[in-house]
Amino acid sequence: MKTLKIAIQKSGRLNEKSVELLKNCGLNFENYKSSLISPVSNFPLEILFLRDDDIPEYVQDGIADLGIVGENVIEETEVEVAYLQRLGFGKCSLKIAIPNNSDIGSLAALNGKAIATTYPVILNKYLQNNNIEADIRTISGSVEISPGLGLSDAICDLVSTGGTLKSNGLMPFADVMSSEAVLIGRKGEENSDLIQELIQRVQSVLRAKETKYVVLNAPKANLDAITALLPGVKSPSVVALAESDWVAVHTVIPERDFWDRISQLKQAGAQGIVVLPIEKIII
Ligand code: PRT
Ligand code: ZN
């Protein structure tokens, strides 16, 4: 049987979450910091630990079958790969930022200005789409200090908390793209059985992350009101209790409307609400 290869970041912001996701998919491997390849003992897969910039090209060229990388890197390297699954971590946005005291007041005011970035390809497309002719200064890092050094009028860089911009006297000015980590594959190979099996494992882990398992005690008199608040996978399970006026209700609740639902459940008379994490949801 063919052994697949998946490329993930060797160290950096996406490494830990990528390793955690693969381990949650039930894959056993050593997270060697020193080696480039780690075999998975219970699935025909090898993990390649690489610099994130190399991952899209390795996947495009078939050196790796799959990869986990930020969308920003894929767009910047302009490779042809298949997007298989958004992964919900590594979220950030690529923004143009200007000094707090800048006189740039509109997008058009960027005409003729110098913008420092490590993302010249994406920035160039953005400027072209907005009919702006600016001088893109490609640098390899520490973009945020370039306006202070008089090297540029603006920057285009990734932002997550905004702390780096703030501490360098910069403010966000325009959103160029938003990004998160994605699972990518080689175009045309997406439908192979092994790849489909891995995608399904990843999806079952992501689904589980988005939901909680809830067990609660409900007064029988209010059972209809309480079950109406609980979607469940099909519908909630209702279990008899020794005390005949009460039942136990088991269900899953989406994380996004979790607190709303919990307070409504309490109002409807639910007691002893226990919330448990879910490991996987296979549908
Ligand atoms: O060594 P290697 O080349 O593999 O790693 P790298 O240094 O190129 O990348 P790394 O580990 O910094 O980031 C990997 C990926 O994480 C990026 O490609 C993005 O997809 C994603 N990501 C998410 C971020 C950020 N958030 C982020 N905040 N990447 C970089 N930053 C930087 C940003 O460049 C700026 O310097 O963090 C600073 C801003 O952060 P805030 O929180 O102050 O706004
Ligand atoms: Zn990199």
Side-chain angles (χ1 to χ4, degrees), residues 258-278:
F258 180 73
W259 290 111
D260 280 356
R261 294 272 171 102
I262 294 294
S263 60
Q264 288 174 38
L265 288 167
K266 280 171 80 176
Q267 276 167 23
Q271 289 184 5
I273 304 174
V274 176
V275 180
L276 303 157
I278 299 176

Side-chain angles (χ1 to χ4, degrees), residues 55-61 64-65 69 74-75 77-84 182-188 190:
I55 292 174
E57 224 163 281
Y58 270 46
V59 171
Q60 174 187 253
D61 298 347
D65 305 276
V69 69
I74 305 169
E75 293 288 314
T77 42
E78 293 187 295
V79 293
E80 290 282 324
V81 291
Y83 279 62
L84 303 179
V182 287
L183 177 68
I184 54 170
R186 199 175 181 204
K187 276 215 157 152
E190 307 87 298

Side-chain angles (χ1 to χ4, degrees), residues 9 12-13 51-53 70 72-73 90 92 157-158 160-164:
Q9 193 187 27
R13 288 167 195 266
R51 284 204 56 193
D52 66 348
D53 314 68
N72 51 300
V73 179
C92 55
D157 198 13
L158 295 174
S160 48
T161 62
T164 304

Side-chain angles (χ1 to χ4, degrees), residues 30-274:
E30 297 290 333
N31 185 17
Y32 301 122
K33 287 284 172 208
S34 55
S35 99
L36 192 67
I37 301 189
S38 190
V40 172
S41 62
N42 58 353
F43 198 86
L45 181 70
E46 286 173 340
I47 322 268
L48 306 187
F49 296 94
L50 301 174
R51 284 204 56 193
D52 66 348
D53 314 68
D54 296 331
I55 292 174
E57 224 163 281
Y58 270 46
V59 171
Q60 174 187 253
D61 298 347
I63 295 160
D65 305 276
L66 297 162
I68 295 178
V69 69
E71 291 171 281
N72 51 300
V73 179
I74 305 169
E75 293 288 314
E76 186 63 26
T77 42
E78 293 187 295
V79 293
E80 290 282 324
V81 291
Y83 279 62
L84 303 179
Q85 180 66 48
R86 305 175 84 84
L87 300 174
F89 61 86
K91 286 190 177 172
C92 55
S93 48
L94 187 64
K95 289 182 195 275
I96 295 176
I98 55 174
N100 291 332
N101 59 4
S102 169
D103 57 6
I104 298 171
S106 66
L107 264 190
L110 287 171
N111 272 302
K113 302 287 192 203
I115 310 175
T117 189
T118 52
Y119 290 91
V121 172
I122 302 175
L123 176 59
N124 185 40
K125 276 189 196 151
Y126 176 83
L127 294 175
Q128 277 185 4
N129 288 340
N130 287 284
N131 294 318
I132 291 160
E133 278 192 34
D135 174 14
I136 298 176
R137 305 236 163 120
T138 306
I139 55 178
S140 58
S142 303
V143 177
E144 62 281 352
I145 61 172
S146 98
L149 297 175
L151 297 172
S152 69
D153 303 297
I155 66 163
C156 175
D157 198 13
L158 295 174
V159 177
S160 48
T161 62
T164 304
L165 291 186
K166 213 170 181 185
S167 60
N168 285 281
L170 300 166
M171 58 182 185
F173 177 68
D175 285 331
V176 175
M177 83 172 278
S178 55
S179 175
E180 69 183 87
V182 287
L183 177 68
I184 54 170
R186 199 175 181 204
K187 276 215 157 152
E189 277 188 3
E190 307 87 298
N191 294 323
S192 89
D193 288 351
L194 278 183
I195 289 182
Q196 281 301 318
E197 155 124 30
L198 268 180
I199 293 174
Q200 270 162 32
R201 287 196 191 194
V202 167
Q203 288 175 342
S204 77
V205 171
L206 296 177
R207 241 179 255 127
K209 263 208 170 129
E210 287 161 10
T211 41
K212 299 282 177 219
Y213 192 93
V214 175
V215 184
L216 55 85
N217 291 333
K220 251 188 188 164
N222 281 0
L223 186 59
D224 285 351
I226 286 173
T227 51
L229 291 165
L230 298 171
V233 173
K234 279 203 168 64
S235 61
S237 318
V238 179
V239 183
L241 290 178
E243 218 173 308
S244 62
D245 293 346
W246 287 79
V247 286
V249 178
H250 294 231
T251 194
V252 293
I253 292 187
E255 176 88 65
R256 62 180 178 279
D257 45 32
F258 180 73
W259 290 111
D260 280 356
R261 294 272 171 102
I262 294 294
S263 60
Q264 288 174 38
L265 288 167
K266 280 171 80 176
Q267 276 167 23
Q271 289 184 5
I273 304 174
V274 176

